[in-house]
Amino acid sequence: MKIFDAHSDVLYKMWMDPTIDFADSPKLHITYNQLITSGSKVQCFAIYIPEEVRPESRFEVALEMVEIFYKKVIDPFPLLKFVRTRDDILALKENEIGALLTLEGCDAIDQSIIKLQTLLRLGVSSVGLTWNYANFVADGIAEPRGGGLSSFGKEVVEEHNKALIWTDVSHLSIKGFWDVMEVADFPIASHSNAISICNHRRNLQDEQIQALIKKNSMIGITFVPQFLTNHGNATIDDVLKHLDHICSLGGENHVGFGSDFDGITDTTRGLENFSGYESLIDYLLKFYSENQVKNSCFTILSEFCQRK
Ligand SMILES: [Zn+2]
């Protein structure tokens, strides 16, 4: 079974600690060795700028993470290929793994379309508009005023449409979400769960899930324990509950995974690191057909990469 994981924070962790070796560091949830041995086909690597970085340094930090992506994640490992289009993914050989570069939050681009265009040229293929707080594009879900897309934000989304890349709504305010649904050609929720199953502000309401499905978009179930359950320790069974729920809303062909590995400190039992995908798949196969599991793990996400 091949896995497409729509969100990880490996680059952030490697930026924080330059001694980390992507090959096999025990400090990482996702390492090269685990990708190779546990069935990865495409792994997304997010550029995430921590809150404490001063606004004037954020673009530079984004460039530093791009450099880490190429120098420490891609270059040393011939079987790990940089991908940014559906054709790149389809062209991967049996033993090759695709690495896709994403941006989590537009804080790094300030109010500048040229900074966005530069990051797209450097290989970014999916752009999350916000992290939890406000920026020039929109408000994040933890921003009390709950504002939607700014006029600059609308320009940003239109730029994504032109470039045929994903606009990621995970972390976005509710108003921002609905604004994006009007403007974005290729929305995605890379790492969000269902609020009906776990009442957390980062999760999606049923109407939001249905709107994503209607727009032929997709949702990546995430393994963040606090987003999986309101009842103590999260387990693989909780992942299944969110999957079942999204399927019950008509999302069978619109649901995949976005682990958030290396962006979390607590992990879900059985999903402590990337190799946990193997147990997840075994578990899913007890309840779903092989084709359905294959769909959720890989096919759907790769088909939703719009750019050819
Ligand atoms: Zn996140």
Side-chain angles (χ1 to χ4, degrees):
M1 203 66 76
K2 294 295 183 188
I3 300 152
F4 190 132
D5 182 341
H7 186 78
S8 78
D9 282 305
V10 171
L11 300 180
Y12 163 65
K13 236 187 209 175
M14 292 179 72
W15 178 80
M16 293 286 280
D17 180 354
T19 67
I20 289 179
D21 184 348
F22 182 58
D24 56 3
S25 170
K27 291 179 182 168
L28 291 174
H29 295 142
I30 297 178
T31 61
Y32 174 74
N33 285 353
Q34 286 190 54
L35 292 179
I36 287 288
T37 53
S38 299
S40 168
K41 196 60 195 174
V42 177
Q43 179 63 52
C44 292
F45 293 87
I47 298 166
Y48 160 73
I49 314 296
E51 284 295 292
E52 56 272 21
V53 175
R54 286 192 319 231
E56 63 272 26
S57 306
R58 286 179 188 160
F59 186 64
E60 195 171 325
V61 170
L63 297 180
E64 287 169 8
M65 290 196 198
V66 172
E67 186 58 19
I68 291 170
F69 174 73
Y70 286 107
K71 200 178 180 170
K72 294 185 164 181
V73 173
I74 302 285
D75 292 351
F77 308 104
L79 292 180
L80 204 54
K81 300 282 180 201
F82 167 64
V83 291
R84 67 160 130 193
T85 68
R86 196 189 314 166
D87 287 353
D88 290 346
I89 293 170
L90 295 175
L92 289 169
K93 299 198 184 84
E94 184 55 32
N95 57 349
E96 289 175 341
I97 295 171
L100 203 136
L101 187 61
T102 70
L103 178 66
E104 182 173 32
C106 283
D107 310 75
I109 65 164
D110 203 37
Q111 297 186 75
S112 161
I113 286 289
I114 189 70
K115 284 182 181 168
L116 173 67
Q117 289 167 332
T118 301
L119 290 178
L120 301 191
R121 280 216 185 265
L122 288 171
V124 168
S125 301
S126 175
V127 174
L129 298 185
T130 65
W131 192 63
N132 284 336
Y133 304 107
N135 58 32
F136 287 110
V137 166
D139 283 2
I141 189 67
E143 197 64 51
R145 70 177 170 183
L149 267 189
S150 65
S151 51
F152 173 66
K154 199 171 162 230
E155 245 182 277
V156 164
V157 175
E158 280 161 358
E159 200 61 35
H160 302 164
N161 292 347
K162 256 191 269 168
L164 306 179
I165 64 160
W166 282 334
T167 297
D168 190 348
V169 299
S170 288
H171 286 280
L172 194 56
S173 68
I174 291 172
K175 172 115 182 30
F177 173 92
W178 291 109
D179 288 349
V180 166
M181 294 311 282
E182 277 179 26
V183 188
D185 290 341
F186 315 110
I188 175 181
S190 69
H191 59 304
S192 294
N193 294 340
I195 210 164
S196 302
I197 302 296
C198 172
N199 188 12
H200 191 289
R201 65 184 180 198
R202 270 281 286 105
N203 288 342
L204 298 164
Q205 300 162 349
D206 287 357
E207 305 78 64
Q208 293 179 301
I209 293 170
Q210 281 159 333
L212 285 164
I213 293 168
K214 214 168 139 197
K215 203 131 189 200
N216 201 21
S217 170
M218 69 80 45
I219 299 136
I221 292 178
T222 189
F223 308 154
V224 183
Q226 300 84 345
F227 306 171
L228 280 170
T229 179
N230 298 119
H231 313 287
N233 294 335
T235 65
I236 285 181
D237 198 42
D238 293 304
V239 175
L240 194 80
K241 286 180 190 154
H242 288 270
L243 184 64
D244 278 345
H245 183 73
I246 294 170
C247 288
S248 77
L249 294 172
E252 189 182 314
N253 292 319
H254 302 268
V255 63
F257 299 103
S259 66
D260 210 1
F261 278 137
D262 291 305
I264 48 180
T265 36
D266 299 339
T267 52
T268 292
R269 205 182 321 143
L271 288 166
E272 285 82 7
N273 53 43
F274 190 87
S275 57
Y277 264 112
E278 292 184 77
S279 346
L280 173 65
I281 287 166
D282 287 345
Y283 192 72
L284 292 178
L285 285 170
K286 290 185 189 164
F287 305 94
Y288 287 93
S289 73
E290 202 175 317
N291 247 343
Q292 285 170 315
V293 178
K294 218 186 264 175
N295 239 350
S296 289
C297 287
F298 176 66
T299 318
I300 290 173
L301 272 155
S302 46
E303 278 177 5
F304 279 82
C305 277
Q306 297 296 333
R307 196 195 265 174
K308 301 230 175 192

